Amino acid sequence: MTWTVPDKGEGDNDIQSIMFQEYLEALVDGVNGTNCVLDGCAVTPSALLVLAVAKGSILSNRVMFPVAAATPSISAADATNPRLDLVVVNSAGTVAVRTGTASATPKPPARTANDVVLASVYVPALDTTIGASQITDMRVVRTGGPLLVDVVE
């Protein structure tokens, strides 16, 4: 499992080290094999506010989907406050960004039903480039144990 939360002082901001209910629910979904990554789907910075998501495969509501490599964009940063965004694969097998709400104390946005969370992205105020230290790997990679799944091609 690659799911991580940085310790206080390890990320760009201590906000990245806070455990949010949304993160824990994504972790439970992954451990249960309901919404998880089977392989790949790592999220890395690409250019400015663009991310690179590697190809892979996921289970969304226990249905297996192939995930094509993608380059989703992060929305422009707020002028005053930071926010937390989630990079997900939705229930149709498509990479999407769930944009959080900028706040002095931001929380991640709500997931849509059966989203598979790949990463959390810390977007500070006035940010114009996403760096590796702003991306927290939230993939729950399911590697063993029997699962009952349907396959979508």
Side-chain angles (χ1 to χ4, degrees):
M1 176 168 32
T2 59
W3 194 91
T4 60
V5 173
D7 284 334
K8 185 175 180 181
E10 284 185 350
D12 274 15
N13 189 286
D14 286 342
I15 291 168
Q16 292 173 275
S17 68
I18 298 172
M19 292 295 297
F20 294 103
Q21 180 177 345
E22 201 64 43
Y23 294 170
L24 295 175
E25 289 174 357
L27 178 61
V28 169
D29 274 359
V31 170
N32 287 337
T34 304
N35 300 304
C36 60
V37 174
L38 296 175
D39 72 341
C41 298
V43 179
T44 55
S46 180
L48 300 176
L49 295 175
V50 178
L51 304 172
V53 177
K55 72 176 186 172
S57 59
I58 57 104
L59 290 179
S60 175
N61 198 27
R62 296 189 188 273
V63 176
M64 186 168 61
F65 289 91
V67 178
T71 53
S73 295
I74 297 293
S75 297
D78 185 74
T80 308
N81 291 307
R83 71 168 194 265
L84 293 168
D85 293 352
L86 293 177
V87 180
V88 303
V89 177
N90 63 28
S91 60
T94 304
V95 174
V97 176
R98 305 283 183 235
T99 303
T101 302
S103 168
T105 55
K107 295 180 180 179
R111 296 173 298 140
T112 300
N114 299 310
D115 275 352
V116 177
V117 177
L118 304 179
S120 172
V121 181
Y122 172 68
V123 184
L126 299 173
D127 195 22
T128 59
T129 303
I130 301 297
S133 62
Q134 292 171 252
I135 301 170
T136 302
D137 192 348
M138 304 292 288
R139 293 174 298 154
V140 179
V141 180
R142 182 75 183 222
T143 58
L147 292 173
L148 299 173
V149 300
D150 294 323
V151 177
V152 173
E153 296 180 27

